[in-house]
């Protein structure tokens, strides 16, 4: 168990960032999917939300001190996106499966404490928008001073409306202390509308931003005190971690962890919690209606993105994809059109979109899981048509990139080159095929597709067989670490 630092000592404090990036963003469906969550999306920006989060903190905390907590499904694309942000690389902590924020933060705290017993953790979600970046960095510096007294500091956002989609923090007393913070009286989960109106009228309440700053040693002590089972299980995970990715021992240890949030498990119980007001023009992009806070509107109060034609609508959010989205006379509505799904709802009902995702899961529909076009480190593929015992894809491979060396037990594949040159490994043979040429890959045959050229390679792939899902892939060799990550 970490020992608390004496107040009389002034150890060298080192600041690290921990970015929580494992969520699926169900309330942002159909744009956000389980395998392509909102933190990987570009929303009214040239950068994805995870890229914006890293860029925001990078002037204060270098990339090698930024830790991303995520899962296997999102790791590769995040790594690829963040590699474009400059010299150096972020660190990744990969959970075998999601166990809510207490487990993720505890895992990061153990890692940082082992690296640096005096480490401070700035914990941030990956999917928030903060427009006052410089002010945010100044508040982080201020909060770092407060944590030296052993506080768990939360960043509170002063409410400007009776919001029912956020949790609330009640400050203790009516005045801030000399250092600009208050002790926390209590946390409240998402209130009903009347309660939210009362909080706004009474004052002394802040939205819970989900941004925290504390010593790794202090949060570990609090986890040991208030969530002893989690602490023990995290110690077992730590012991199980070897040098070969997520092995069976790590997975087994993680399965014992119960899902609990850091708010409920620690912050609502601890006597060391302080809130610091953060006027940073903050928005949690939790649902479609939240875009009202961050995206510029037209003269009629509409937010229009993509291929949209509108006549006479007002105060609506209209998101078009490849197809033309035509709307007439809508008021206070959300309309989102993608290749395979369309959402239509009132703005006031946007918080319920997650229930649609639950129903899609119940029906076994892939519409909650992935888009028709799926991006990979080597390029992308689009599912053109699916039927009984067949699937047709359009595949694009970047110049000089290649897919993993792999095999399938239950399907064969037929490849036709549309543009570019394909280098094919087919069993023991390696050969090139060109435009309008094709090749056949039998089941249970080791194969690989690569692009040796300097222009993108496009092929049409026809799959045939009794089982055509993506988990029928046995990777033998891979440039993107997927063999290592899936061992065990």
């Amino acid at each position: 168990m970490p020992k608390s630092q004496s107040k009389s000592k002034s150890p060298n404090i080192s600041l690290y960032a921990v970015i929580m990036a494992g969520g699926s963003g169900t309330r942002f469906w159909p744009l956000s999917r389980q395998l392509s969550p909102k933190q990987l999306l570009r929303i009214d920006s040239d950068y994805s939300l995870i890229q914006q989060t890293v860029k925001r903190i990078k002037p204060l905390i270098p990339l090698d001190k930024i830790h991303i907590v995520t899962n296997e499904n999102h790791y590769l694309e995040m790594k690829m996106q963040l590699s474009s942000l400059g010299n150096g690389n972020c660190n990744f902590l990969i959970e075998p499966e999601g166990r809510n924020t207490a487990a993720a933060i505890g895992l990061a705290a153990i890692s940082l404490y082992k690296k640096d017993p005096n480490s401070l953790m700035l914990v941030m979600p990956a999917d928030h928008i903060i427009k006052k970046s410089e002010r945010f960095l100044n508040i982080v510096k201020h909060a770092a001073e407060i944590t030296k007294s052993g506080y768990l500091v939360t960043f509170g956002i002063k409410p400007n409306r009776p919001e029912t989609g956020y949790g609330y923090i009640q400050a203790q007393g009516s005045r801030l202390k000399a250092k600009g913070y208050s002790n926390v009286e209590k946390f409240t989960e998402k209130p009903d509308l009347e309660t939210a109106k009362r909080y706004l009228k009474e004052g002394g309440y802040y939205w819970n931003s989900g941004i925290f700053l504390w010593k790794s040693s202090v949060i570990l002590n609090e986890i040991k005190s208030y969530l002893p089972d989690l602490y023990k299980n995290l110690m077992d995970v730590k012991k199980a971690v070897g040098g070969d990715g997520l092995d069976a021992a790590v997975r087994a240890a993680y399965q014992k962890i119960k899902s609990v949030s850091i708010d409920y498990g620690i912050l609502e119980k601890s006597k060391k919690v302080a809130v610091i007001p953060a006027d940073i023009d903050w928005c949690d992009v939790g649902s479609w209606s939240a875009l009202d806070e961050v995206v510029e509107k037209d003269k009629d109060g509409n937010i229009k993105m993509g291929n949209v034609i509108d006549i006479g609508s007002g105060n609506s959010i209209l998101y078009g994809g490849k197809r033309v989205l035509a709307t007439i006379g809508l008021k206070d509505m959300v309309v989102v059109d993608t290749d395979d799904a369309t959402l239509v709802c009132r703005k006031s009902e946007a918080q319920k979109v997650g229930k649609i995702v639950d129903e899609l899961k119940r029906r076994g529909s892939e519409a909650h899981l992935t888009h028709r076009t799926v991006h990979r480190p080597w390029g992308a593929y689009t599912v053109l048509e699916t039927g009984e015992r067949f699937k047709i894809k359009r595949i694009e491979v970047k110049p000089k990139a290649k897919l993993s060396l792999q095999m399938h037990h239950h399907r064969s594949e037929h490849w036709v080159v549309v543009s570019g040159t394909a280098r094919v490994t087919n069993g023991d043979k390696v050969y090139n095929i060109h435009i309008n040429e094709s090749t056949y890959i039998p089941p249970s045959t080791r194969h690989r597709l690569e692009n040796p050229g300097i222009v993108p390679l496009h092929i049409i792939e026809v799959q045939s067989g009794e089982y055509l899902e993506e988990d029928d892939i046995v990777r033998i060799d891979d440039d993107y670490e997927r063999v290592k990550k899936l061992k065990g």
Side-chain angles (χ1 to χ4, degrees):
M1 176 177 175
K3 296 180 180 179
S4 300
Q5 298 289 344
S6 170
K7 292 183 181 179
S8 61
K9 295 181 181 180
S10 298
N12 293 324
I13 296 297
S14 189
L15 185 59
Y16 296 79
V18 174
I19 299 175
M20 313 295 288
S24 57
T26 57
R27 287 178 296 162
F28 220 70
W29 183 89
L31 198 58
S32 178
R33 308 288 175 100
Q34 185 173 322
L35 297 182
S36 184
K38 63 182 176 179
Q39 57 264 32
L40 294 173
L41 303 178
R42 292 167 175 81
I43 299 173
D44 196 42
S45 172
D46 293 333
Y47 295 96
S48 68
L49 290 176
I50 181 71
Q51 286 175 316
Q52 291 181 52
T53 302
V54 171
K55 279 170 59 67
R56 184 182 306 127
I57 199 61
K58 198 172 71 162
L60 184 61
I61 302 175
L63 290 176
D64 62 357
K65 288 190 174 182
I66 296 175
H67 291 67
I68 316 291
V69 185
T70 188
N71 56 58
E72 293 168 293
N73 292 329
H74 306 155
Y75 161 71
L76 282 173
E77 188 168 351
M78 281 188 189
K79 183 177 180 181
M80 184 172 60
Q81 286 193 8
L82 296 178
S83 66
S84 67
L85 296 184
N87 296 328
N89 294 302
C90 297
N91 304 279
F92 284 87
L93 294 168
I94 301 178
E95 294 183 287
E97 50 191 295
R99 284 293 186 263
N100 216 319
T101 53
I105 288 171
L107 189 68
I110 289 171
S111 176
L112 292 184
Y113 183 79
K114 181 180 179 181
K115 192 176 295 185
D116 180 357
N118 296 317
S119 55
L120 289 184
M121 293 173 58
L122 173 65
V123 179
M124 301 176 292
D127 54 1
H128 290 181
I129 291 175
I130 295 173
K131 293 187 177 179
K132 297 181 179 178
S133 296
E134 188 172 344
R135 176 156 179 77
F136 171 67
L137 296 181
N138 288 332
I139 292 173
V140 170
K141 295 175 188 176
H142 183 191
E145 292 298 315
I146 299 169
T147 62
K148 292 179 181 179
S149 299
Y151 279 107
L152 307 175
V153 179
T154 69
F155 288 49
I157 309 298
K158 187 174 181 179
N160 57 14
R161 63 182 185 277
E163 174 62 56
T164 61
Y166 299 152
Y168 283 72
I169 303 168
Q170 183 183 9
Q172 195 177 85
S174 58
R175 299 178 63 183
L176 296 176
K177 295 185 177 182
K179 288 188 176 181
Y181 69 93
S182 295
N183 289 79
V184 170
E185 181 68 31
K186 68 174 182 178
F187 286 80
T188 304
E189 272 302 305
K190 301 169 184 177
D192 58 34
L193 183 59
E194 291 305 312
T195 303
K197 287 179 178 178
R198 177 167 59 83
Y199 289 169
L200 188 64
K201 182 178 180 181
E202 289 179 3
Y205 288 86
Y206 298 90
W207 288 334
N208 183 359
S209 69
I211 303 173
F212 312 110
L213 186 59
W214 45 53
K215 292 180 182 178
S216 59
S217 58
V218 173
I219 193 64
L220 284 174
N221 276 314
E222 296 297 274
I223 290 173
K224 185 168 186 178
S225 296
Y226 296 106
L227 295 173
D229 288 344
L230 172 61
Y231 185 86
K232 178 182 179 302
N233 289 328
L234 287 172
M235 291 300 110
D236 290 341
V237 171
K238 176 186 174 185
K239 293 174 186 175
V241 172
D244 197 21
L246 297 175
D247 59 22
V250 174
R251 296 179 191 279
Y254 224 79
Q255 286 178 354
K256 299 176 185 177
I257 293 175
K258 294 180 180 179
S259 177
V260 62
S261 72
I262 196 72
D263 305 74
Y264 178 78
I266 302 297
L267 301 181
E268 292 183 13
K269 301 177 177 68
S270 176
K271 307 300 181 186
K272 299 180 178 181
V273 186
V275 58
I276 183 170
D279 176 19
I280 53 179
D281 207 348
W282 167 92
C283 177
D284 173 6
V285 190
S287 68
W288 283 101
S289 57
L291 293 185
D292 279 338
E293 303 295 314
V294 296
V295 180
E296 187 176 348
K297 301 177 183 179
D298 67 14
K299 60 182 179 59
D300 298 311
N302 298 309
I303 294 173
K304 292 188 288 189
M305 294 180 284
N307 198 3
V308 175
I309 298 174
D310 177 70
I311 299 173
S313 295
N315 196 34
S316 293
I317 296 172
L318 310 172
Y319 184 97
K322 293 180 181 178
R323 299 179 293 191
V324 174
L325 174 61
T327 52
I328 302 174
L330 301 181
K331 302 295 179 186
D332 302 312
M333 297 291 290
V334 175
V335 183
V336 182
D337 184 50
T338 67
D339 285 353
D340 62 343
T342 302
L343 168 70
V344 181
C345 70
R346 294 188 182 278
K347 268 190 185 179
S348 58
E349 301 293 310
Q351 293 284 351
K352 298 179 181 178
V353 172
K355 294 182 178 180
I356 298 290
V357 175
D358 293 339
E359 177 62 18
L360 290 169
K361 291 178 181 179
R362 189 188 70 78
R363 295 185 183 187
S365 170
E366 289 191 355
H368 81 280
L369 189 63
T370 184
H371 290 275
R372 286 180 60 195
T373 296
V374 178
H375 294 277
R376 290 287 187 256
W378 45 260
Y381 69 82
T382 300
V383 178
L384 301 177
E385 188 172 351
T386 301
E388 187 175 354
R389 295 180 62 86
F390 80 90
K391 183 182 289 186
I392 303 173
K393 290 181 178 179
R394 180 177 65 245
I395 297 177
E396 177 180 343
V397 185
K398 299 174 184 176
K400 305 301 181 182
K402 58 186 174 182
L403 285 67
S404 60
L405 179 65
Q406 58 185 250
M407 61 165 283
H408 313 292
H409 291 295
H410 303 287
R411 73 177 188 238
S412 63
E413 295 175 345
H414 196 110
W415 298 341
V416 180
V417 175
V418 177
S419 65
T421 296
R423 179 166 296 154
V424 177
T425 300
N426 189 349
D428 295 330
K429 299 177 181 178
V430 179
Y431 52 90
N432 289 348
I433 56 175
H434 305 90
I435 295 174
N436 291 330
E437 295 180 342
S438 64
T439 194
Y440 171 73
I441 309 294
S444 301
T445 301
R446 290 159 50 116
H447 62 276
R448 170 174 258 160
L449 175 65
E450 57 185 297
N451 180 359
I454 58 174
V455 298
L457 165 66
H458 292 89
I459 74 167
I460 298 297
E461 175 183 272
V462 180
Q463 302 176 359
S464 301
E466 58 189 0
Y467 186 78
L468 305 173
E469 301 307 318
E470 292 301 302
D471 55 355
D472 182 25
I473 298 177
V474 179
R475 289 189 174 91
I476 301 153
D477 181 58
D478 184 57
D479 285 359
Y480 308 104
E481 307 176 47
R482 287 172 292 182
V483 173
K484 177 181 177 181
K485 293 296 173 187
L486 295 178
K487 278 190 177 179

